[in-house]
């Protein structure tokens, strides 16, 4: 069947209307709250999606995921693998649409960088292969340990990596044999509902039960709390700021909390400055700095601070100086010293225009030297491509300052140095889930660095880069005598 563009647009409008309409649930068309039916204008989908997995109420979403979980238990590992491959494949096909929709709906970040982040999740999130059974054999026979599903998982996702977190969590949780109820960020609800529909359809075509991942059409803080505290959700996995991590800890359930970071990057006098400058621009500039692992402040040893600045400017970063720093403070901070959300996830050109500085639309970061570490640009996780730089006398002072400004989140830190002792010291002192040496922070997510990826990095609860291993429970079976084959 051939559809021209107008027909496709009409089709998509109908699908999107359904996703946001009070009758979003196919199984329960009643009792939905009133919805906002506004939507971005430029949605252009290549093929149809559906509202599979999207329900009018969170209770219905949980009930459907519970039913799906008992059906999934009957499925083979081979089917689980096929479901995961189907999620990867449909995500590859829709990557451009998902990136565009996420930027249009949330107003955060850049389409080209979201393509990079989504591709990373598609290709490098581990599936069932990471779940390794263990066997101990001895005079008393055999002991086998396997990883089993919790059941239904409550997953709360952020607006900064809206689609990336959904796919990353879905792959890991399904790999473990769980089903998932997502409570997505309200400002990403449309792209999330669209994506959950796509993923469910893809899994169904691969032999999965229906509703392996579900969500309610109108997520709120209240619905997040309902899903976290509901007796039918066994594990709570949250990705977001400090409030939601605290809420997860208070849920009364086992909780995996992936909270905020404020990653420092230290550059010492032994560093390759061209490489350091390039890495900082690429890491801190990723998706307009909204990624939790992105470099948030530069701490440079005085000997090389000016040279580093020069390299950064040569590679396209823009430095804000003098009175313009004050103007920038007035713009991106609120009157009570907080962060002006209006500028989160915006490009430097957009931000600097407001204070009368013009720069190329493709400029990735702006930076400014600030006098001391108490400066709000250093203290706050700004989540925008405005990076403060601090100058210190030596590398030991730099490491000590990095430790203080990271606020004990133990999330991510980076260092550029060729002094092995300094690299070793900072790695130990920072005690972070991710420590990156001589590369952009994104290398710690496996982008240009070794290892798998995860977009739920649980520092408060200690799992680090979460995978199916963390979304499963350990079960032991002891077989007395016999079964040992030697
Ligand atoms: P956010 O905390 O505003 O929202 C995250 C999710 O939590 C949303 O679904 C939101 O609706 C929900 N939520 C917020 N407050 C809640 C409360 N009191 N009770 C219940 N639910 C609540 O975060 P955001 O703006 O979407 O994302 C940015 C933040 O998330 C940054 O701090 C960033 O560092 C952090 N983050 C961390 C990771 C990680 O892996 N550690 C990954 C992405 C984002």
């Amino acid at each position: 069947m051939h559809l021209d563009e107008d027909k496709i647009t009409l089709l998509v409008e109908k699908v999107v209307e359904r996703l946001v309409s009070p009758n979003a649930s196919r199984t329960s068309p009643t009792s939905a709250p009133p919805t906002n039916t506004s939507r971005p204008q430029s949605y252009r989908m290549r093929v149809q999606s559906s509202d599979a997995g999207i329900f009018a109420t969170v209770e219905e979403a949980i009930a459907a995921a519970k039913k799906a979980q008992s059906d999934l238990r009957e499925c083979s590992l081979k089917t689980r693998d096929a479901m995961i491959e189907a999620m990867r494949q449909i995500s590859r096909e829709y990557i451009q649409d998902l990136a565009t929709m996420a930027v249009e709906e949330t107003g955060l970040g850049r389409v080209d960088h979201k393509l990079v982040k989504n591709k990373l999740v598609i290709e490098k999130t581990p599936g069932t292969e990471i779940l390794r059974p263990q066997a101990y054999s001895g005079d008393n026979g055999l002991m086998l340990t396997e990883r089993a599903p919790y059941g239904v998982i409550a997953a709360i996702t952020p607006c900064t990596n809206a689609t990336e977190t959904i796919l990353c969590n879905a792959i890991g949780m399904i790999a473990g044999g769980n089903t998932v109820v997502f409570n997505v960020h309200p400002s990403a609800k449309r792209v999330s509902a669209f994506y959950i529909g796509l993923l469910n359809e893809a899994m169904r075509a691969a032999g999965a039960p229906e509703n392996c991942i579900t969500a309610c059409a109108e997520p709120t803080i209240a619905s997040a709390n309902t899903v976290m505290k509901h007796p039918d959700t066994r594990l709570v996995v949250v990705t977001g700021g400090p409030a939601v991590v605290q809420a997860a800890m208070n849920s009364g359930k086992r909780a995996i909390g992936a909270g905020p970071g404020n990653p420092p990057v230290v550059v010492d006098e032994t560093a390759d400055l061209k490489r350091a400058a390039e890495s900082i621009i690429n890491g801190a500039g990723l998706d307009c700095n909204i990624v939790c692992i992105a470099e948030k402040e530069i701490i440079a040893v005085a000997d090389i601070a000016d040279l580093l600045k020069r390299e950064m400017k040569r590679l396209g970063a823009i430095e804000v100086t003098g009175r313009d720093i004050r103007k920038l403070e007035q713009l991106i901070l609120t009157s009570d010293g907080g962060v002006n959300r209006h500028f989160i996830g915006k490009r430097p050109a957009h931000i600097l225009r407001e204070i009368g500085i013009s720069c190329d639309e493709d400029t990735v970061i702006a930076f400014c030297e600030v006098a001391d570490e108490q400066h709000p640009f250093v203290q706050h996780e700004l989540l925008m491509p405005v990076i403060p730089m601090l100058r210190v006398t030596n590398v030991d002072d730099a490491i000590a300052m990095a430790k203080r400004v990271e606020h004990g989140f133990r999330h991510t830190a980076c260092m550029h140095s060729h002094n092995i002792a300094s690299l070793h010291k900072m790695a130990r002192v920072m005690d972070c889930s991710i420590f990156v040496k001589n590369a952009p922070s994104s290398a710690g997510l496996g982008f240009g660095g070794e290892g798998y990826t995860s977009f739920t990095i649980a520092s408060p609860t200690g799992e680090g880069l979460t995978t199916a291993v963390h979304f499963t429970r350990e079960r032991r079976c002891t077989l007395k005598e016999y079964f040992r084959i030697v």
Side-chain angles (χ1 to χ4, degrees), residues 156-159 161 185-186 221 239-241 244 258-260 292 381 411 455 457:
I156 317 291
T157 56
C159 56
N161 308 319
H185 197 291
I221 301 262
T239 311
V244 71
C292 58
E381 184 192 32
H411 192 298
F455 270 60
I457 301 146

Side-chain angles (χ1 to χ4, degrees), residues 55 57 78 151 190 200 202 208 248 261 301 340 362 371 422 463:
F55 292 84
T57 68
K78 196 171 166 196
R190 290 194 294 277
N200 273 314
V301 169
N340 184 344
D362 281 334
S422 299
E463 292 80 4

